[in-house]
Amino acid sequence: MNLQTERIENHRAQFTIEIESDQLEDAKRKAARKISRQVRIKGFRKGKAPYGLVVREVGEGAVIEEALDALGDVLYKQALEESDVTPYGPGAFEDFKLEPAPTFVFSVPLQPEVDLKEYLDVRLVFDEPVVTDGEVDDALKLMRMRQVEVLDEEVEVTALGHRVTIAVDSEFVDGDPPDDEVQAEAEDALTAEADESQADADQEDTGPYIPKLGDTFVKDDNTQIILDPNEDPFTHGFVGNLIGAERGSDVLFELTIPDDDAEETIIGRRVSFVVTIKDIEAISIPELDDEFAQRASRDRGDEILDVAGLRQSVQQELERLAWEEAHSEYSGDVLEKIVDGAEIVYPDLMLNEYIDEMIREFEGNLQQQRLSLDDYLRLTNSSKDDLREQYREGAVHSLRHNLVLRELINAQAIEITDDDLELRLNSVIAGYGTSPEMRKLFDTPQMRVNISNELVMNHLNAHLAAIGRGEDTGTAIDEMKSRMLADTERARERSERLRRYREEDAADSDESSTSGDAAESPMLADAEESQPASESPAENASPNTAASDT
């Protein structure tokens, strides 16, 4: 066998294999015997007919085709063994020539190759995040909103300060009409949730989205707001139009989007609203005082704090979250720059597999809306080839990034040790308690696989951030582990305090019940009946709350 290997387009190798004529003739006779076992030839038992008779019966072309199939498999395997080619997927038979000598031609998709170039020289400025007093105020306000007291659940007419549950349906009543309203509605219904990623990609390509006449501004079947004109949820003037509305009524009005309240593409646009008043409640919002701070800090599993202490605790947590978000975004920016500078080659087969997977996900989203892919193609007047082309750019982006990620993990020799895994597992469990039952619930083979994958990305992000700032990656990993240890200890302490608070509340409740039964005081009974029936704040705090930094 004479083998020649060369690189061809689309990141493939080509095998050109020349063999002796005798080898082909031998393969043809083996093929004829195989055919004779499958085809009844008069006067001969199966498998016993001579070569010439088999050729006359089925034709020489059928014999040659069978011979090429069998011989081609053998030759292809031999070529892979003798060459230095590492295939990405199965090869393809491309051609066969009989003259001047029997010659087979195969193409083989190659494994992707990534050259990261001078990736260690990539530098970006990291802007340290700053948490403002306003952000702390907003977080404290949200905590107060979670502890509102309902004074009256049967209010019939809205007023300032009421909490209302509403359904909102709104649309733009100005702007250019869609090219084909029926077509547009069909596409909107099909792609509302199924194709968000593709819509985002399209927006990046074509510029900001400009809504047309009749496009939805906001739609929500069940949302709860407090009627405060300084806190309009959608645009200025929204709350003011709801004052004085009756329970169960529909409120219709139009508003113009002001220039200080919206994206540039909708400033000055006119929007019509239909708001259904589903429920109205009179509420009392707790003041931000020491009494509230003590309750709120207790609910979070903190030490009992006053207003200043609660504010400091909230600010520290916001700073941790802001740093983590900024760090993640920064690592992503460094990765993007490395991808842009890398030399990446891969076979079309690999790209097509990515496109196939994206279309399968899209089809699954359609099925959740009780629609088929054929329905979508019919209503959008498109073909599967059109759909594949729509997903191509996104698939290329994902493929390039994943290949670079894989190469970076190898280049930086990122490995997750048992100690790393145990540290992160302890961090996950810490917020839920330290009992053996809790560890048994979380410490499963699948959980360890998930945590291992998460840790690989965490380590890689630490490496990327260190590279971008020109710092030592080993130091960055040590700092990451120190933060994880601190988070674990903080979550453990909160979980322990919440457990203690629950025990204290239970003891107080038992003592109160015992005292009440012994005294049998009508006055005490009346007082108890006047109190809202609620569990202690510690009982209301979920394990997730205990485990988190917010």
Side-chain angles (χ1 to χ4, degrees), residues 273 373 535:
F273 290 86
L373 184 59
E535 298 175 327

Side-chain angles (χ1 to χ4, degrees), residues 171-183:
E171 64 180 31
F172 291 93
V173 292
D174 61 357
D176 297 331
D179 297 334
D180 185 334
E181 293 186 10
V182 175
Q183 183 82 351

Side-chain angles (χ1 to χ4, degrees), residues 83-266:
S83 70
D84 59 354
V85 169
T86 304
Y88 170 74
F93 174 71
E94 298 288 351
D95 195 13
F96 171 75
K97 299 176 182 178
L98 191 57
E99 299 295 341
T103 304
F104 290 77
V105 179
F106 299 92
S107 65
V108 189
L110 300 174
Q111 285 287 346
E113 297 175 5
V114 178
D115 184 352
L116 297 175
K117 299 298 183 180
E118 303 302 322
Y119 78 99
L120 292 175
D121 295 335
V122 168
R123 295 291 182 270
L124 287 176
V125 175
F126 177 69
D127 296 323
E128 290 285 348
V130 176
V131 174
T132 66
D133 290 341
E135 290 172 316
V136 178
D137 290 339
D138 289 342
L140 291 170
K141 182 177 181 179
L142 182 59
M143 293 171 65
R144 291 167 59 211
M145 292 300 103
R146 290 172 178 167
Q147 291 196 19
V148 298
E149 179 185 356
V150 177
L151 304 177
D152 187 354
E153 298 179 349
E154 301 298 331
V155 180
E156 294 299 324
V157 179
T158 62
L160 289 176
H162 283 163
R163 183 168 66 184
V164 295
T165 303
I166 58 176
V168 184
D169 194 357
S170 61
E171 64 180 31
F172 291 93
V173 292
D174 61 357
D176 297 331
D179 297 334
D180 185 334
E181 293 186 10
V182 175
Q183 183 82 351
E185 289 177 4
E187 291 186 21
D188 287 345
L190 284 167
T191 60
E193 297 180 1
D195 201 14
E196 289 184 4
S197 60
Q198 186 61 34
D200 291 341
D202 291 343
Q203 184 168 323
E204 291 178 2
D205 296 338
T206 60
Y209 168 68
I210 300 176
K212 295 182 178 294
L213 173 68
D215 281 0
T216 296
F217 174 61
V218 64
K219 183 178 178 64
D220 194 325
D221 291 332
N222 194 63
T223 187
Q224 198 173 66
I225 65 171
I226 294 176
L227 296 181
D228 180 349
N230 296 318
E231 300 289 342
D232 276 309
F234 305 118
T235 189
H236 291 332
F238 181 86
V239 165
N241 279 278
L242 303 186
I243 303 302
E246 295 181 355
R247 177 192 296 267
S249 66
D250 289 339
V251 184
L252 286 67
F253 55 93
E254 291 187 5
L255 294 172
T256 299
I257 307 297
D259 58 6
D260 61 344
D261 189 45
E263 297 290 336
E264 183 177 352
T265 56
I266 62 172

